[in-house]
PDB file of all heavy atoms in Angstrom:
ATOM      1  N   PRO Y  41       4.676  -9.176  14.106  1.00 77.00           N
ATOM      2  CA  PRO Y  41       4.836  -7.818  14.508  1.00 77.00           C
ATOM      3  C   PRO Y  41       6.142  -7.257  14.061  1.00 77.00           C
ATOM      4  O   PRO Y  41       7.222  -7.996  14.221  1.00 77.00           O
ATOM      5  CB  PRO Y  41       4.787  -7.973  16.061  1.00 77.00           C
ATOM      6  CG  PRO Y  41       5.094  -9.338  16.383  1.00 77.00           C
ATOM      7  CD  PRO Y  41       4.547 -10.174  15.187  1.00 77.00           C
ATOM      8  N   PRO Y 109      24.358   2.187 -13.521  1.00 88.00           N
ATOM      9  CA  PRO Y 109      22.957   1.565 -13.627  1.00 88.00           C
ATOM     10  C   PRO Y 109      22.932   0.334 -14.502  1.00 88.00           C
ATOM     11  O   PRO Y 109      22.005  -0.460 -14.464  1.00 88.00           O
ATOM     12  CB  PRO Y 109      22.155   2.727 -14.229  1.00 88.00           C
ATOM     13  CG  PRO Y 109      23.171   3.669 -14.806  1.00 88.00           C
ATOM     14  CD  PRO Y 109      24.407   3.464 -14.019  1.00 88.00           C
ATOM     15  N   ARG Y 110      23.985   0.167 -15.329  1.00 89.00           N
ATOM     16  CA  ARG Y 110      24.036  -1.047 -16.111  1.00 89.00           C
ATOM     17  C   ARG Y 110      24.146  -2.297 -15.241  1.00 89.00           C
ATOM     18  O   ARG Y 110      23.672  -3.381 -15.536  1.00 89.00           O
ATOM     19  CB  ARG Y 110      25.306  -1.030 -16.950  1.00 89.00           C
ATOM     20  CG  ARG Y 110      25.052  -1.107 -18.527  1.00 89.00           C
ATOM     21  CD  ARG Y 110      26.380  -1.057 -19.234  1.00 89.00           C
ATOM     22  NE  ARG Y 110      26.925  -2.432 -19.268  1.00 89.00           N
ATOM     23  CZ  ARG Y 110      26.541  -3.345 -20.088  1.00 89.00           C
ATOM     24  NH1 ARG Y 110      25.604  -3.034 -21.005  1.00 89.00           N
ATOM     25  NH2 ARG Y 110      27.066  -4.551 -20.138  1.00 89.00           N
ATOM     26  N   TRP Y 111      24.843  -2.137 -14.055  1.00 92.00           N
ATOM     27  CA  TRP Y 111      25.076  -3.278 -13.242  1.00 92.00           C
ATOM     28  C   TRP Y 111      24.104  -3.335 -12.008  1.00 92.00           C
ATOM     29  O   TRP Y 111      23.810  -4.425 -11.569  1.00 92.00           O
ATOM     30  CB  TRP Y 111      26.558  -3.269 -12.738  1.00 92.00           C
ATOM     31  CG  TRP Y 111      27.435  -3.350 -13.924  1.00 92.00           C
ATOM     32  CD1 TRP Y 111      28.072  -2.335 -14.498  1.00 92.00           C
ATOM     33  CD2 TRP Y 111      27.782  -4.558 -14.577  1.00 92.00           C
ATOM     34  NE1 TRP Y 111      28.884  -2.827 -15.533  1.00 92.00           N
ATOM     35  CE2 TRP Y 111      28.700  -4.220 -15.628  1.00 92.00           C
ATOM     36  CE3 TRP Y 111      27.467  -5.921 -14.418  1.00 92.00           C
ATOM     37  CZ2 TRP Y 111      29.263  -5.123 -16.465  1.00 92.00           C
ATOM     38  CZ3 TRP Y 111      28.014  -6.826 -15.279  1.00 92.00           C
ATOM     39  CH2 TRP Y 111      28.887  -6.431 -16.328  1.00 92.00           C
ATOM     40  N   GLY Y 113      20.483  -2.186 -10.422  1.00 92.00           N
ATOM     41  CA  GLY Y 113      19.170  -1.496 -10.678  1.00 92.00           C
ATOM     42  C   GLY Y 113      18.482  -1.298  -9.299  1.00 92.00           C
ATOM     43  O   GLY Y 113      19.008  -1.519  -8.297  1.00 92.00           O
ATOM     44  N   GLY Y 116      18.154  -4.323  -6.674  1.00 95.00           N
ATOM     45  CA  GLY Y 116      19.282  -4.592  -5.631  1.00 95.00           C
ATOM     46  C   GLY Y 116      19.381  -3.506  -4.696  1.00 95.00           C
ATOM     47  O   GLY Y 116      19.579  -3.779  -3.508  1.00 95.00           O
ATOM     48  N   ILE Y 141      17.864  -6.358  25.673  1.00 73.00           N
ATOM     49  CA  ILE Y 141      16.993  -7.417  25.222  1.00 73.00           C
ATOM     50  C   ILE Y 141      17.803  -8.238  24.224  1.00 73.00           C
ATOM     51  O   ILE Y 141      18.620  -7.775  23.496  1.00 73.00           O
ATOM     52  CB  ILE Y 141      15.758  -6.881  24.526  1.00 73.00           C
ATOM     53  CG1 ILE Y 141      14.769  -7.957  24.173  1.00 73.00           C
ATOM     54  CG2 ILE Y 141      16.066  -6.070  23.267  1.00 73.00           C
ATOM     55  CD1 ILE Y 141      13.504  -7.521  23.343  1.00 73.00           C
ATOM     56  N   PRO Y 148      16.774 -13.232  12.294  1.00 88.00           N
ATOM     57  CA  PRO Y 148      16.550 -13.932  11.039  1.00 88.00           C
ATOM     58  C   PRO Y 148      15.210 -13.699  10.343  1.00 88.00           C
ATOM     59  O   PRO Y 148      15.136 -13.392   9.225  1.00 88.00           O
ATOM     60  CB  PRO Y 148      16.748 -15.411  11.445  1.00 88.00           C
ATOM     61  CG  PRO Y 148      17.637 -15.317  12.650  1.00 88.00           C
ATOM     62  CD  PRO Y 148      17.260 -14.049  13.366  1.00 88.00           C
ATOM     63  N   VAL Y 152      14.821 -11.824   6.687  1.00 92.00           N
ATOM     64  CA  VAL Y 152      14.207 -12.449   5.441  1.00 92.00           C
ATOM     65  C   VAL Y 152      13.063 -11.603   5.034  1.00 92.00           C
ATOM     66  O   VAL Y 152      12.895 -11.366   3.811  1.00 92.00           O
ATOM     67  CB  VAL Y 152      13.782 -13.864   5.824  1.00 92.00           C
ATOM     68  CG1 VAL Y 152      12.942 -14.469   4.724  1.00 92.00           C
ATOM     69  CG2 VAL Y 152      15.078 -14.777   6.026  1.00 92.00           C
ATOM     70  N   ARG Y 170      11.067   2.094 -15.718  1.00 90.00           N
ATOM     71  CA  ARG Y 170      11.161   1.648 -17.116  1.00 90.00           C
ATOM     72  C   ARG Y 170       9.961   2.203 -17.948  1.00 90.00           C
ATOM     73  O   ARG Y 170      10.106   2.780 -19.012  1.00 90.00           O
ATOM     74  CB  ARG Y 170      11.078   0.147 -17.204  1.00 90.00           C
ATOM     75  CG  ARG Y 170      11.209  -0.357 -18.596  1.00 90.00           C
ATOM     76  CD  ARG Y 170      11.431  -1.856 -18.674  1.00 90.00           C
ATOM     77  NE  ARG Y 170      10.265  -2.630 -18.162  1.00 90.00           N
ATOM     78  CZ  ARG Y 170      10.210  -3.932 -18.166  1.00 90.00           C
ATOM     79  NH1 ARG Y 170      11.195  -4.581 -18.538  1.00 90.00           N
ATOM     80  NH2 ARG Y 170       9.130  -4.489 -17.723  1.00 90.00           N
TER      81      ARG Y 170
ATOM     82  N   SER Z   8       9.694 -10.208 -18.509  1.00 84.00           N
ATOM     83  CA  SER Z   8       9.747  -8.740 -18.400  1.00 84.00           C
ATOM     84  C   SER Z   8      10.171  -8.381 -16.967  1.00 84.00           C
ATOM     85  O   SER Z   8      10.891  -7.410 -16.782  1.00 84.00           O
ATOM     86  CB  SER Z   8       8.458  -8.152 -18.769  1.00 84.00           C
ATOM     87  OG  SER Z   8       7.876  -7.510 -17.667  1.00 84.00           O
ATOM     88  N   GLN Z  11      13.932  -9.000 -16.675  1.00 87.00           N
ATOM     89  CA  GLN Z  11      14.744  -7.969 -17.360  1.00 87.00           C
ATOM     90  C   GLN Z  11      15.109  -6.870 -16.435  1.00 87.00           C
ATOM     91  O   GLN Z  11      16.055  -6.086 -16.682  1.00 87.00           O
ATOM     92  CB  GLN Z  11      13.993  -7.445 -18.571  1.00 87.00           C
ATOM     93  CG  GLN Z  11      14.106  -8.260 -19.800  1.00 87.00           C
ATOM     94  CD  GLN Z  11      13.237  -7.814 -20.943  1.00 87.00           C
ATOM     95  OE1 GLN Z  11      12.674  -6.688 -20.802  1.00 87.00           O
ATOM     96  NE2 GLN Z  11      13.019  -8.664 -21.923  1.00 87.00           N
ATOM     97  N   ARG Z  14      19.371  -6.301 -12.816  1.00 91.00           N
ATOM     98  CA  ARG Z  14      20.688  -6.154 -13.318  1.00 91.00           C
ATOM     99  C   ARG Z  14      21.631  -7.198 -12.698  1.00 91.00           C
ATOM    100  O   ARG Z  14      21.273  -7.764 -11.588  1.00 91.00           O
ATOM    101  CB  ARG Z  14      21.180  -4.726 -13.022  1.00 91.00           C
ATOM    102  CG  ARG Z  14      20.269  -3.606 -13.549  1.00 91.00           C
ATOM    103  CD  ARG Z  14      20.622  -3.162 -14.927  1.00 91.00           C
ATOM    104  NE  ARG Z  14      19.715  -2.161 -15.355  1.00 91.00           N
ATOM    105  CZ  ARG Z  14      18.601  -2.528 -16.082  1.00 91.00           C
ATOM    106  NH1 ARG Z  14      18.312  -3.786 -16.291  1.00 91.00           N
ATOM    107  NH2 ARG Z  14      17.892  -1.576 -16.540  1.00 91.00           N
ATOM    108  N   PRO Z  15      22.651  -7.434 -13.332  1.00 92.00           N
ATOM    109  CA  PRO Z  15      23.705  -8.423 -12.802  1.00 92.00           C
ATOM    110  C   PRO Z  15      24.003  -8.246 -11.256  1.00 92.00           C
ATOM    111  O   PRO Z  15      24.059  -9.103 -10.517  1.00 92.00           O
ATOM    112  CB  PRO Z  15      24.932  -8.265 -13.684  1.00 92.00           C
ATOM    113  CG  PRO Z  15      24.446  -7.595 -14.893  1.00 92.00           C
ATOM    114  CD  PRO Z  15      23.143  -6.855 -14.549  1.00 92.00           C
ATOM    115  N   GLY Z  16      24.224  -6.880 -10.954  1.00 92.00           N
ATOM    116  CA  GLY Z  16      24.621  -6.563  -9.629  1.00 92.00           C
ATOM    117  C   GLY Z  16      23.338  -6.930  -8.605  1.00 92.00           C
ATOM    118  O   GLY Z  16      23.563  -7.302  -7.474  1.00 92.00           O
ATOM    119  N   ASP Z  17      22.138  -6.823  -9.135  1.00 93.00           N
ATOM    120  CA  ASP Z  17      20.953  -7.074  -8.325  1.00 93.00           C
ATOM    121  C   ASP Z  17      20.977  -8.575  -7.934  1.00 93.00           C
ATOM    122  O   ASP Z  17      20.659  -8.948  -6.881  1.00 93.00           O
ATOM    123  CB  ASP Z  17      19.724  -6.736  -9.057  1.00 93.00           C
ATOM    124  CG  ASP Z  17      19.614  -5.246  -9.369  1.00 93.00           C
ATOM    125  OD1 ASP Z  17      20.354  -4.463  -8.704  1.00 93.00           O
ATOM    126  OD2 ASP Z  17      18.782  -4.804 -10.208  1.00 93.00           O
ATOM    127  N   PHE Z  32      19.547 -18.122   9.798  1.00 83.00           N
ATOM    128  CA  PHE Z  32      18.665 -19.060  10.296  1.00 83.00           C
ATOM    129  C   PHE Z  32      19.396 -20.321  10.894  1.00 83.00           C
ATOM    130  O   PHE Z  32      18.994 -20.884  11.886  1.00 83.00           O
ATOM    131  CB  PHE Z  32      17.678 -19.559   9.234  1.00 83.00           C
ATOM    132  CG  PHE Z  32      16.375 -18.828   9.270  1.00 83.00           C
ATOM    133  CD1 PHE Z  32      16.082 -17.821   8.388  1.00 83.00           C
ATOM    134  CD2 PHE Z  32      15.404 -19.057  10.303  1.00 83.00           C
ATOM    135  CE1 PHE Z  32      14.841 -17.113   8.484  1.00 83.00           C
ATOM    136  CE2 PHE Z  32      14.282 -18.348  10.395  1.00 83.00           C
ATOM    137  CZ  PHE Z  32      13.978 -17.407   9.471  1.00 83.00           C
ATOM    138  N   LEU Z  35      20.498 -19.555  14.309  1.00 68.00           N
ATOM    139  CA  LEU Z  35      19.443 -19.217  15.249  1.00 68.00           C
ATOM    140  C   LEU Z  35      19.480 -20.143  16.390  1.00 68.00           C
ATOM    141  O   LEU Z  35      19.537 -21.351  16.369  1.00 68.00           O
ATOM    142  CB  LEU Z  35      18.088 -19.495  14.528  1.00 68.00           C
ATOM    143  CG  LEU Z  35      16.881 -18.867  15.273  1.00 68.00           C
ATOM    144  CD1 LEU Z  35      16.998 -17.265  15.281  1.00 68.00           C
ATOM    145  CD2 LEU Z  35      15.632 -19.172  14.550  1.00 68.00           C
ATOM    146  N   THR Z 122       9.743  -9.098  27.216  1.00 48.00           N
ATOM    147  CA  THR Z 122       9.367  -7.912  26.520  1.00 48.00           C
ATOM    148  C   THR Z 122       9.436  -8.119  25.093  1.00 48.00           C
ATOM    149  O   THR Z 122      10.419  -8.440  24.428  1.00 48.00           O
ATOM    150  CB  THR Z 122      10.521  -6.807  26.824  1.00 48.00           C
ATOM    151  OG1 THR Z 122      10.941  -7.067  28.124  1.00 48.00           O
ATOM    152  CG2 THR Z 122       9.967  -5.441  26.683  1.00 48.00           C
ATOM    153  N   TYR Z 125       7.380  -3.806  20.351  1.00 43.00           N
ATOM    154  CA  TYR Z 125       8.216  -2.817  19.659  1.00 43.00           C
ATOM    155  C   TYR Z 125       7.405  -2.308  18.480  1.00 43.00           C
ATOM    156  O   TYR Z 125       6.316  -2.810  18.184  1.00 43.00           O
ATOM    157  CB  TYR Z 125       9.499  -3.487  19.179  1.00 43.00           C
ATOM    158  CG  TYR Z 125       9.393  -4.726  18.459  1.00 43.00           C
ATOM    159  CD1 TYR Z 125       9.213  -4.705  17.022  1.00 43.00           C
ATOM    160  CD2 TYR Z 125       9.288  -5.926  19.108  1.00 43.00           C
ATOM    161  CE1 TYR Z 125       9.106  -5.875  16.350  1.00 43.00           C
ATOM    162  CE2 TYR Z 125       9.169  -7.157  18.402  1.00 43.00           C
ATOM    163  CZ  TYR Z 125       9.026  -7.097  17.007  1.00 43.00           C
ATOM    164  OH  TYR Z 125       8.878  -8.299  16.347  1.00 43.00           O
TER     165      TYR Z 125
END
Side-chain angles (χ1 to χ4, degrees):
Chain Y
R110 239 183 82 80
W111 297 99
I141 187 184
V152 168
R170 182 172 64 179
Chain Z
S8 113
Q11 277 172 14
R14 303 270 176 270
D17 297 345
F32 264 106
L35 193 65
T122 325
Y125 51 90

